Amino acid sequence: MSSRPVIWLLLAGVIALAGSMHARSTDAVAGDSASARVDAESRVAAAAPARHARREALPPAHVETTVSVNVGRGATFQLHATNTGDRHVELHFATGQTHDFVVLDSIGREVWRWGAGRMFTSSLQTKMLGAHATTVFEESWDARAKHGRFTVVARLESSDFPAEERAEFVLP
């Protein structure tokens, strides 16, 4: 015996049941009873200011960034992102790239970029940062053949807390 007719009958029953439940809930909200409408409207109106007040009571989230450089056989860069608030924040990233470091020479020409030639996922990602917590992004530049004055530009690639910091350093 084929199970197709049974499946079609079950599907029709589910659709009919869903339609009747929707009709009943619509009738209850939009019925002729003025007291039911007034009661529903007053509950919604009473809840709206409370939700609105809770949103206003929360302080705005803020993330501060700093960059540090450690010079040795090259240079190591650290980008610190600190949540200065009392509640957690989510850092949203449009791709797999969370940060980047760019090194500029003394006249502003780009001599190195950490993200150059790298492949990053194209999926969204989120990084949770707790209240007063710091996350550190660290990368190294092998600059043994380079000498002189440089500037590192550190970027937090977050879509909601984008930041850019600069620091000068010298390679002997």
Side-chain angles (χ1 to χ4, degrees), residues 115-127:
R118 296 181 186 270
M119 296 182 68
F120 299 99
T121 62
S122 60
S123 62
L124 300 173
Q125 69 170 309
T126 302
K127 181 168 182 66

Side-chain angles (χ1 to χ4, degrees), residues 22-41 43:
H22 177 71
R24 273 189 247 138
S25 66
T26 304
D27 291 344
V29 172
D32 292 333
S33 170
S35 63
R37 258 196 313 251
V38 170
D39 187 40
E41 289 171 1
R43 280 193 308 254

